[in-house]
């Protein structure tokens, strides 16, 4: 079974632009979560989607948004990019969102550099 | 609120020696705890997880962890380090809120260095 895939793997943008990242979950997984990884703040939870609905959100400004499609694929969008948005963005998928002990499977990430 | 503290941002051990990576958690409800490993330029891979079924949890690649409620700890160990174990290790906690499970809360990570 193919793992979680994320595109693109690397991205360079300038301040003020917007960016869209894509994530395809493992086949059959319906829940997709997004995390931001930076050297300073570490790994932080952004949001989780299930059945095309955001069901959980971390402590990030409204510039960060996402959506999920009927095939469970998900995108996240960051508008008005700031230098501090430079990070590795990780996507994780799981079968369903409500089971606390369920394993989240991570993709390789998209590395975003904002200049 | 929940949090995770990993003691030691860098740990260095000799090949063949015991690996001990420390993790302490804080949670107002019974926690579910995870250890993930991250190799350079890759995502996170689950090593093991505690789900209250047993306090000693065995994972992949010879790693295991013991949940100690009295010490609020979930330290990761491996009896004999291998060069391939060099990576970043993250401890994470997750709990349930009114709407279901929250996102994972991660520690800052521990970079494991293996000396030949």
């Amino acid at each position: 079974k193919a793992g979680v895939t994320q595109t693109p793997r690397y991205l360079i943008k300038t301040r003020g632009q917007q960016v869209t990242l894509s994530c395809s979950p493992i086949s059959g997984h319906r829940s997709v979560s997004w995390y931001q990884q930076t050297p300073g703040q570490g790994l932080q939870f952004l949001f989780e989607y299930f059945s095309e609905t955001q069901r959980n959100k971390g402590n990030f400004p409204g510039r960060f948004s996402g959506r999920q499609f009927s095939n469970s694929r998900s995108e996240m969008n960051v508008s008005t990019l700031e230098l501090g948005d430079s990070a590795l963005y990780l996507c994780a998928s799981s079968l369903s969102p409500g089971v606390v002990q369920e394993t989240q499977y991570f993709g390789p990430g998209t590395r975003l550099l904002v200049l | 609120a929940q949090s995770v503290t990993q003691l030691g941002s860098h740990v260095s051990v000799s090949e063949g020696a015991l690996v001990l990576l420390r993790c302490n958690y804080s949670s107002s409800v019974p926690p579910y705890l995870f250890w993930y490993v991250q190799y350079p330029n890759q995502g996170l891979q689950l090593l093991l997880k505690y789900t209250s079924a047993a306090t000693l949890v065995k994972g992949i690649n010879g790693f295991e962890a013991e949940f100690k409620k009295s010490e609020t700890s979930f330290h990761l160990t491996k009896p004999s380090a291998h060069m391939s174990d060099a990576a970043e290790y993250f401890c994470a906690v997750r709990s349930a809120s009114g709407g279901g499970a929250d996102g994972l809360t991660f520690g800052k990570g521990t970079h494991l260095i293996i000396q030949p």
Side-chain angles (χ1 to χ4, degrees):
Chain A
K1 199 181 262 192
V4 178
T5 58
Q6 293 187 244
T7 57
R9 291 293 310 276
Y10 303 93
L11 207 49
I12 300 175
K13 292 286 187 179
T14 56
R15 280 181 298 175
Q17 288 187 310
Q18 74 167 12
V19 67
T20 298
L21 312 181
S22 180
C23 171
S24 292
I26 292 171
S27 178
H29 285 193
R30 298 174 61 198
S31 174
V32 174
S33 298
W34 289 89
Y35 294 83
Q36 181 196 64
Q37 184 177 23
T38 61
Q41 299 299 316
L43 279 154
Q44 294 183 286
F45 171 70
L46 279 157
F47 30 63
E48 179 181 24
Y49 284 86
F50 176 74
S51 292
E52 303 176 61
T53 302
Q54 186 183 93
R55 61 168 301 281
N56 224 335
K57 190 178 191 309
N59 188 25
F60 278 82
R63 298 186 298 108
F64 292 82
S65 63
R67 59 177 176 169
Q68 187 181 34
F69 302 94
S70 58
N71 62 358
S72 295
R73 190 177 69 85
S74 176
E75 290 180 347
M76 68 163 283
N77 182 276
V78 188
S79 62
T80 320
L81 283 166
E82 301 176 358
L83 295 179
D85 297 332
S86 294
L88 181 67
Y89 289 89
L90 293 164
C91 167
S93 78
S94 60
L95 281 169
S96 60
V99 182
V100 179
Q101 64 266 41
E102 191 163 310
T103 299
Q104 293 192 347
Y105 296 87
F106 284 79
T110 294
R111 188 165 295 282
L112 171 66
L113 177 60
V114 181
L115 301 176
Chain B
Q2 54 192 17
S3 65
V4 173
T5 301
Q6 291 184 241
L7 293 176
S9 59
H10 291 79
V11 170
S12 180
V13 302
S14 299
E15 190 175 18
L18 171 72
V19 174
L20 170 61
L21 303 182
R22 300 178 187 273
C23 172
N24 289 88
Y25 69 90
S26 172
S27 178
S28 57
V29 297
Y32 292 89
L33 296 156
F34 305 78
W35 275 100
Y36 281 88
V37 61
Q38 185 177 35
Y39 297 100
N41 300 314
Q42 294 188 29
L44 302 175
Q45 180 183 10
L46 180 72
L47 282 174
L48 49 81
K49 62 182 178 182
Y50 168 72
T51 61
S52 76
T55 57
L56 183 62
V57 182
K58 294 187 183 300
I60 62 171
N61 301 338
F63 285 95
E64 63 181 39
E66 186 173 7
F67 174 73
K68 291 187 176 180
K69 185 178 179 180
S70 61
E71 298 177 8
T72 60
S73 69
F74 190 56
H75 302 331
L76 182 71
T77 60
K78 181 174 180 178
S80 178
H82 192 273
M83 294 299 291
S84 61
D85 295 327
E88 191 83 14
Y89 290 80
F90 294 94
C91 182
V93 64
R94 196 178 192 200
S95 58
S97 61
D102 294 332
L104 288 163
T105 297
F106 287 91
K108 293 292 188 184
T110 297
H111 185 65
L112 178 62
I113 301 162
I114 310 297
Q115 305 278 6

